[in-house]
mmCIF file with all atom_site columns, all heavy atoms in Angstrom:
data_model
loop_
_atom_site.group_PDB
_atom_site.id
_atom_site.type_symbol
_atom_site.label_atom_id
_atom_site.label_alt_id
_atom_site.label_comp_id
_atom_site.label_asym_id
_atom_site.label_entity_id
_atom_site.label_seq_id
_atom_site.pdbx_PDB_ins_code
_atom_site.Cartn_x
_atom_site.Cartn_y
_atom_site.Cartn_z
_atom_site.occupancy
_atom_site.B_iso_or_equiv
_atom_site.pdbx_formal_charge
_atom_site.auth_seq_id
_atom_site.auth_comp_id
_atom_site.auth_asym_id
_atom_site.auth_atom_id
_atom_site.pdbx_PDB_model_num
ATOM 1  N N   . GLY A 1 142 ? -52.952 -43.283 13.146 1.00 0.00 ? 142 GLY A N   1
ATOM 2  C CA  . GLY A 1 142 ? -53.546 -43.637 14.425 1.00 0.00 ? 142 GLY A CA  1
ATOM 3  C C   . GLY A 1 142 ? -53.656 -42.472 15.384 1.00 0.00 ? 142 GLY A C   1
ATOM 4  O O   . GLY A 1 142 ? -54.235 -42.615 16.469 1.00 0.00 ? 142 GLY A O   1
ATOM 5  N N   . SER A 1 143 ? -53.131 -41.307 15.009 1.00 0.00 ? 143 SER A N   1
ATOM 6  C CA  . SER A 1 143 ? -53.213 -40.136 15.870 1.00 0.00 ? 143 SER A CA  1
ATOM 7  C C   . SER A 1 143 ? -54.669 -39.707 16.037 1.00 0.00 ? 143 SER A C   1
ATOM 8  O O   . SER A 1 143 ? -55.477 -39.796 15.112 1.00 0.00 ? 143 SER A O   1
ATOM 9  C CB  . SER A 1 143 ? -52.406 -38.983 15.274 1.00 0.00 ? 143 SER A CB  1
ATOM 10 O OG  . SER A 1 143 ? -52.619 -37.788 16.031 1.00 0.00 ? 143 SER A OG  1
ATOM 11 N N   . SER A 1 144 ? -54.988 -39.240 17.233 1.00 0.00 ? 144 SER A N   1
ATOM 12 C CA  . SER A 1 144 ? -56.341 -38.733 17.495 1.00 0.00 ? 144 SER A CA  1
ATOM 13 C C   . SER A 1 144 ? -56.444 -37.234 17.266 1.00 0.00 ? 144 SER A C   1
ATOM 14 O O   . SER A 1 144 ? -57.544 -36.672 17.328 1.00 0.00 ? 144 SER A O   1
ATOM 15 C CB  . SER A 1 144 ? -56.741 -39.062 18.941 1.00 0.00 ? 144 SER A CB  1
ATOM 16 O OG  . SER A 1 144 ? -55.844 -38.438 19.859 1.00 0.00 ? 144 SER A OG  1
ATOM 17 N N   . GLU A 1 145 ? -55.314 -36.572 16.992 1.00 0.00 ? 145 GLU A N   1
ATOM 18 C CA  . GLU A 1 145 ? -55.331 -35.124 16.770 1.00 0.00 ? 145 GLU A CA  1
ATOM 19 C C   . GLU A 1 145 ? -55.854 -34.824 15.371 1.00 0.00 ? 145 GLU A C   1
ATOM 20 O O   . GLU A 1 145 ? -55.392 -35.396 14.384 1.00 0.00 ? 145 GLU A O   1
ATOM 21 C CB  . GLU A 1 145 ? -53.923 -34.542 16.932 1.00 0.00 ? 145 GLU A CB  1
ATOM 22 C CG  . GLU A 1 145 ? -53.352 -34.707 18.332 1.00 0.00 ? 145 GLU A CG  1
ATOM 23 C CD  . GLU A 1 145 ? -51.935 -34.183 18.426 1.00 0.00 ? 145 GLU A CD  1
ATOM 24 O OE1 . GLU A 1 145 ? -51.636 -33.156 17.799 1.00 0.00 ? 145 GLU A OE1 1
ATOM 25 O OE2 . GLU A 1 145 ? -51.119 -34.828 19.114 1.00 0.00 ? 145 GLU A OE2 1
ATOM 26 N N   . ARG A 1 146 ? -56.780 -33.888 15.300 1.00 0.00 ? 146 ARG A N   1
ATOM 27 C CA  . ARG A 1 146 ? -57.440 -33.581 14.032 1.00 0.00 ? 146 ARG A CA  1
ATOM 28 C C   . ARG A 1 146 ? -56.447 -33.192 12.952 1.00 0.00 ? 146 ARG A C   1
ATOM 29 O O   . ARG A 1 146 ? -56.517 -33.674 11.813 1.00 0.00 ? 146 ARG A O   1
ATOM 30 C CB  . ARG A 1 146 ? -58.468 -32.468 14.264 1.00 0.00 ? 146 ARG A CB  1
ATOM 31 C CG  . ARG A 1 146 ? -59.297 -32.089 13.034 1.00 0.00 ? 146 ARG A CG  1
ATOM 32 C CD  . ARG A 1 146 ? -58.729 -30.899 12.305 1.00 0.00 ? 146 ARG A CD  1
ATOM 33 N NE  . ARG A 1 146 ? -59.530 -30.539 11.144 1.00 0.00 ? 146 ARG A NE  1
ATOM 34 C CZ  . ARG A 1 146 ? -59.178 -29.614 10.268 1.00 0.00 ? 146 ARG A CZ  1
ATOM 35 N NH1 . ARG A 1 146 ? -58.036 -28.955 10.418 1.00 0.00 ? 146 ARG A NH1 1
ATOM 36 N NH2 . ARG A 1 146 ? -59.949 -29.349 9.230  1.00 0.00 ? 146 ARG A NH2 1
ATOM 37 N N   . GLU A 1 147 ? -55.518 -32.300 13.248 1.00 0.00 ? 147 GLU A N   1
ATOM 38 C CA  . GLU A 1 147 ? -54.581 -31.820 12.233 1.00 0.00 ? 147 GLU A CA  1
ATOM 39 C C   . GLU A 1 147 ? -53.718 -32.959 11.707 1.00 0.00 ? 147 GLU A C   1
ATOM 40 O O   . GLU A 1 147 ? -53.409 -33.009 10.510 1.00 0.00 ? 147 GLU A O   1
ATOM 41 C CB  . GLU A 1 147 ? -53.712 -30.702 12.799 1.00 0.00 ? 147 GLU A CB  1
ATOM 42 C CG  . GLU A 1 147 ? -54.466 -29.436 13.174 1.00 0.00 ? 147 GLU A CG  1
ATOM 43 C CD  . GLU A 1 147 ? -55.108 -28.778 11.967 1.00 0.00 ? 147 GLU A CD  1
ATOM 44 O OE1 . GLU A 1 147 ? -54.540 -28.876 10.859 1.00 0.00 ? 147 GLU A OE1 1
ATOM 45 O OE2 . GLU A 1 147 ? -56.183 -28.164 12.122 1.00 0.00 ? 147 GLU A OE2 1
#
Side-chain angles (χ1 to χ4, degrees):
S143 173
S144 61
E145 297 177 38
R146 183 264 181 187
E147 295 296 328

